[in-house]
Amino acid sequence: MLLKSRNLFWDRISSKHDIGSTVLYLLLFITVSSAAYGAVLAGWRSPLLSFYVAIKMPILLLGTTTLVMLLNWIFAGMTGSGLSFKQVVAITYGAMGVTCWILLSLTPVTALFTFSVASGGTHAEQQLTHNYLLMAHIILIAFAGIAGNCALKQGLDKTILHGCSARKIYWSWIASFTIVGCQLSWILRPFIGSPFYAIEFMRPDALKRNFFEFIYTDVLPYIIKGGS
Amino acid sequence: MTNNPQTAWKTPILPPPLPTEEDLPGIRPPPGNELHALAGLLKSPAHILWRIKEDDNLPVLTLQLFIWGLIFHAIYGFAMALFDSAEVAAITAGKAPLITLFATLLCLPSLYVFSCVAGLPVKITQACALAGSTVAMTGLLLLGMTPVIWLFSVSTNNLSFIVIINLVSWIVAVGFALRFFGMFGQPGINDKISGLKWWLFIYIMVSLQMATTMRPLLGKPGTGLEPVEKKFFLAHFKDTLAESGKSVSAGNQGKRR
C-alpha cells in the first residue's frame, strides 16, 4: 500500500483506521529492509562487520525516528495540526518505510559495488576503495532519504487540519531528525569500516565525542586549509 | 437562437468534446496494426509505451526487446573491440550483452520501486518491459553508431581516445532512453517520470561497474575467464587513462582496458 497506493495509506492514517497494525507492519519492514542493506554496506570489509552493520542499521533508523517522536508530536501540536500521537508515529514510520523501500531495491546494486571492489591491497589502495564506497553509499542513502522526506511532506499535507502550515512542521521534524540521526550514526560507527581500524561493533570512543564537535574540530579546519 | 440575448440562457452549456485518437497522434496504435517490437521502437516509440501501459501481451514484447537489444549490443561490442584484434572483438561481442543483461537484472528491483515511489505504479511485467525498452533503445542507437566506432577503432592506436569515444557514445545512447521515458509525459499517459530518470542514473553507474568487473573489453584477457583484480570503476577509468598516456609515449604497448 505504501508503495503503490500511498494516498490510500495517508487516508487510513488521516481517518485513524487500524493505525496499530499498520505501525507494527512498518516496524517489521523497516527492520528487515535496513538490515539487508546494512549487511551489504559493510560486506567489502568482512562478514563479521557485515553482521554487525545488519544489526546497527535498523537500530540507527528506528532509533532516530523513535527518539524524536515525542518532540515531533509536540511540534505538531504547537502548530495546531490536530495530529494525534499515533498519527505522528504512523506518518514518521511511513516516511521511513518509503526510504527503506528504496534502500531495499538498491541492495542488488550496492552488492555489485561491494563485491567488485578490492578489500585487500596496500593501505593507500584500501583507503581509496573505502572512500569510493563511502561516496557511493552517501549518494544512495541521501537519495533514499530525499524520497522519504518527500513522502513525509506529502503525508503531512494529507493528514493535518486545514489552515495549519505543513511546512513549519516538516522543517522542524527534519531538523530534529538531522540532529539526532547524525549523532546516533556517530555513536554506532563503524558502518563501512575504515581499513585503518579494527573490526568492532562500536568504537571504544563512541561516547566520548560528538558528531558536531568532530565536524568543527576536524573536518572544517581540514577543508579551510585545502586538505593539507 | 443563441444570438438572441433574451433566449441565450436557454442554451445548454456543454463541456468541450473529449479528445479523439486523431488528437493524440502516436499514443494509440492504429487498429489492427500489430507492429513488431523493434519496428515499433524505431517508428512509433509511443506505441510501445502504450502497449506497456495497457499491459498488452508484455512477456512477448519484453522478450523481443531484450533479444534485439542484446544482439545490437553484441554487434557494437564487436566493432568496438576491433581496436585490438578480431579475436578480442569476438570475446567482447559475447561480453557486451552479458554486461547489459546483468546490469539490467540488478537494476530491475529499483526500477519497480522508483516508479511506484514516484507515483507511477507499475506491475512487475511492466517494469520488465520498461527495462527491455531501455536495453532495446540503447542497443538501437549503438547499432546506428557502430560504423562510426568501427572506423575509429581500426584507425587509431590511442586507447584514451577510444575509451572516451565509446563512453560518450554509450551515454548518448542511454540518454535517448531517457527521452523515451519522457514520452510518459504525453497527454493521456502519465507525467510522473522523475523516478525513471533517477533509475537511469543508477543503471548507468551499475553498467559502468559491471563493465569494469568483466574487463578487459579492448584487449586480450590473460589466460581466459579468470577473475580480474577487483576495482571501482572510477579508479579503473583513471588507471586506464594514465596507462594509455604511458603507452602512447612508448609506442603501442598497453592496449588493454
Side-chain angles (χ1 to χ4, degrees):
Chain A
M1 190 194 289
L2 192 61
L3 195 60
K4 289 193 151 187
S5 319
R6 210 177 310 155
N7 283 339
L8 201 62
F9 177 83
W10 298 129
D11 286 345
R12 181 184 271 199
I13 304 300
S14 186
S15 62
K16 301 181 183 177
H17 173 66
D18 206 12
I19 290 184
S21 61
T22 305
V23 169
L24 277 178
Y25 170 76
L26 283 170
L27 283 174
L28 186 68
F29 174 70
I30 291 168
T31 305
V32 172
S33 53
S34 57
Y37 187 86
V40 173
L41 180 75
W44 81 286
R45 189 79 169 85
S46 83
L48 181 63
L49 188 63
S50 187
F51 174 69
Y52 287 160
V53 178
I55 297 169
K56 288 196 285 185
M57 274 297 276
I59 294 174
L60 173 65
L61 298 187
L62 292 175
T64 305
T65 40
T66 308
L67 285 171
V68 298
M69 206 69 84
L70 186 65
L71 183 65
N72 285 354
W73 177 57
I74 293 169
F75 277 143
M78 284 166 65
T79 49
S81 67
L83 291 175
S84 70
F85 185 70
K86 274 187 176 178
Q87 284 177 310
V88 171
V89 172
I91 293 168
T92 310
Y93 285 139
M96 191 58 84
V98 171
T99 299
C100 284
W101 259 119
I102 291 178
L103 289 181
L104 188 66
S105 74
L106 290 172
T107 303
V109 173
T110 50
L112 170 73
F113 282 96
T114 299
F115 298 113
S116 62
V117 298
S119 57
T122 63
H123 261 198
E125 285 169 351
Q126 284 188 21
Q127 187 180 19
L128 193 64
T129 304
H130 171 265
N131 290 347
Y132 278 133
L133 277 178
L134 185 67
M135 186 182 69
H137 284 295
I138 285 173
I139 292 170
L140 294 178
I141 293 172
F143 172 68
I146 289 167
N149 284 340
C150 292
L152 179 67
K153 179 75 169 55
Q154 187 191 35
L156 284 171
D157 283 336
K158 297 220 180 257
T159 48
I160 60 171
L161 292 175
H162 289 292
C164 170
S165 168
R167 188 182 290 262
K168 276 185 190 169
I169 305 174
Y170 173 73
W171 284 111
S172 62
W173 286 16
I174 292 294
S176 62
F177 280 134
T178 309
I179 293 166
V180 175
C182 288
Q183 182 57 20
L184 200 57
S185 61
W186 172 264
I187 293 169
L188 290 171
R189 77 211 142 93
F191 284 93
I192 293 180
S194 169
F196 305 112
Y197 290 93
I199 293 164
E200 51 203 347
F201 189 77
M202 282 165 69
R203 296 263 167 80
D205 63 343
L207 301 173
K208 285 185 182 163
R209 294 177 76 195
N210 71 61
F211 175 81
F212 304 98
E213 184 191 344
F214 168 70
I215 295 290
Y216 185 73
T217 58
D218 291 25
V219 178
L220 282 181
Y222 182 79
I223 292 170
I224 290 166
K225 285 175 191 169
S228 59
Chain B
M1 187 175 76
T2 52
N3 291 335
N4 185 346
Q6 289 184 340
T7 56
W9 61 274
K10 291 181 180 174
T11 309
I13 300 169
L14 298 173
L18 290 171
T20 60
E21 289 183 5
E22 288 75 25
D23 296 328
L24 303 170
I27 294 174
R28 291 177 183 277
N33 183 8
E34 278 297 323
L35 279 174
H36 186 272
L38 198 63
L41 203 62
L42 196 62
K43 294 175 183 171
S44 173
H47 177 176
I48 297 292
L49 283 176
W50 183 86
R51 282 185 68 182
I52 294 172
K53 185 177 178 286
E54 295 297 312
D55 203 354
D56 176 22
N57 200 12
L58 286 188
V60 175
L61 176 72
T62 306
L63 200 64
Q64 286 177 344
L65 290 170
F66 264 110
I67 290 172
W68 282 110
L70 294 177
I71 290 172
F72 296 156
H73 276 82
I75 295 169
Y76 180 84
F78 185 85
M80 172 179 84
L82 282 173
F83 171 71
D84 189 284
S85 64
E87 186 193 347
V88 172
I91 295 170
T92 304
K95 281 183 182 178
L98 285 179
I99 290 167
T100 307
L101 184 64
F102 292 152
T104 311
L105 288 178
L106 286 177
C107 290
L108 210 48
S110 45
L111 173 60
Y112 176 72
V113 170
F114 283 24
S115 302
C116 292
V117 168
L120 183 69
V122 292
K123 295 178 188 167
I124 293 284
T125 49
Q126 289 173 310
C128 290
L130 274 174
S133 309
T134 309
V135 171
M137 182 61 96
T138 309
L140 205 56
L141 264 294
L142 288 178
L143 186 73
M145 290 187 248
T146 298
V148 180
I149 292 299
W150 167 80
L151 179 68
F152 283 107
S153 293
V154 296
S155 61
T156 181
N157 286 331
N158 190 332
L159 180 63
S160 303
F161 179 78
I162 289 295
V163 168
I164 289 168
I165 197 172
N166 278 297
L167 192 64
V168 170
S169 305
W170 181 76
I171 287 176
V172 167
V174 178
F176 269 84
L178 183 65
R179 288 187 62 198
F180 178 71
F181 284 157
M183 288 177 187
F184 271 112
Q186 284 193 6
I189 301 189
N190 208 316
D191 58 353
K192 294 172 177 171
I193 57 157
S194 58
L196 297 178
K197 287 179 179 173
W198 278 106
W199 175 78
L200 216 54
F201 174 73
I202 301 285
Y203 176 71
I204 290 172
M205 296 295 117
V206 171
S207 300
L208 291 174
Q209 184 60 38
M210 191 59 81
T212 304
T213 306
M214 295 185 74
R215 69 190 188 280
L217 298 178
L218 293 173
K220 283 188 185 124
T223 56
L225 292 171
E226 84 282 13
V228 291
E229 182 198 358
K230 291 179 173 183
K231 224 173 197 181
F232 193 65
F233 76 89
L234 286 175
H236 172 61
F237 191 67
K238 191 177 129 197
D239 290 351
T240 304
L241 295 183
E243 184 190 338
S244 170
K246 285 178 198 166
S247 68
V248 165
S249 59
N252 185 23
Q253 299 296 313
K255 278 187 185 174
R256 290 190 76 172
R257 183 194 164 192

